[in-house]
Amino acid sequence: MVKKSSDMKSTVREKMRGGDGQTVMKAMLDDGEYNGRARLFSTITLEPGSSIGEHVHENEEEIFYVIEGSAVYNDNGTDVIMNKGDCCICLGGQKHSLANRGNETLTVVAVILTY
Amino acid sequence: MVKKSSDMKSTVREKMRGGDGQTVMKAMLDDGEYNGRARLFSTITLEPGSSIGEHVHENEEEIFYVIEGSAVYNDNGTDVIMNKGDCCICLGGQKHSLANRGNETLTVVAVILTY
């Protein structure tokens, strides 16, 4: 099955998980389009000044892969700069946050695997 | 855990699965860096003229998300053009192939979920 970008649904979340501004999530695949143990295949876009606040992933793990811009990623308590082509994983029980403190749009591919 | 692009390992496969030219796979995450039911988190790059031949995925499913260039994707027997921002999934038991017949580099994010 091929899903064209124009057929993907976008969702806008305000101050997601206590962060700032807007988080735009564009679902690459929706529930029912895959069978594996996952619950999210999406791009996440943050304009400059926007962020997703710190939160814990329990019984699941989330991967971000930066395809545009740069991020300040808080990796279980430590700020790390992520640029295009960098990847991170928040394992079950760990916490993270994601912020765009630069001047360009930040977009990551996000995948959540459930256990 | 953050993995910088410069720390990711690249592998070059010649005529992958009976295709043409070279397939460059750059592992976003390696085995042991995630715990979910998956076996691949990688970018796949095909220069113009290169391709991955048709193959079946048994007991697993593969997702491609185009981040650069365009592809001729054979979706279980049917050719479909994929452009930047498009996504596809090859479910367990289905077959697919991926070719770069354009003039620009093609790069996709590839994830394989195991059942």
Side-chain angles (χ1 to χ4, degrees), chain A:
Chain A
M1 182 202 76
V2 173
K3 182 180 276 193
K4 305 296 285 182
S5 176
S6 55
D7 292 329
M8 296 175 187
K9 296 171 204 155
S10 286
T11 306
V12 179
R13 304 269 299 265
E14 302 285 343
K15 299 181 181 300
M16 189 170 174
R17 296 193 186 265
D20 294 317
Q22 294 185 328
T23 297
V24 180
M25 305 185 73
K26 187 171 179 178
M28 294 156 47
L29 296 173
D30 292 301
D31 289 351
E33 293 178 334
Y34 55 91
N35 298 314
R37 292 197 180 187
R39 74 168 178 86
L40 184 81
F41 289 96
S42 180
T43 58
I44 295 176
T45 297
L46 297 173
E47 296 298 337
S50 290
S51 61
I52 299 171
E54 183 181 276
H55 58 281
V56 175
H57 283 277
E58 296 285 6
N59 300 312
E60 62 184 26
E61 58 197 26
E62 183 163 30
I63 294 121
F64 291 151
Y65 178 73
V66 180
I67 59 174
E68 178 182 33
S70 65
V72 177
Y73 176 72
N74 191 287
D75 183 25
N76 207 37
T78 303
D79 277 349
V80 183
I81 303 297
M82 293 182 66
N83 297 308
K84 184 177 175 180
D86 295 341
C87 184
C88 63
I89 185 166
C90 182
L91 296 169
Q94 295 184 345
K95 61 189 178 183
H96 67 171
S97 64
L98 183 72
N100 184 352
R101 296 187 191 149
N103 298 314
E104 297 174 21
T105 299
L106 165 68
T107 302
V108 304
V109 171
V111 177
I112 296 179
L113 303 181
T114 52
Y115 296 149

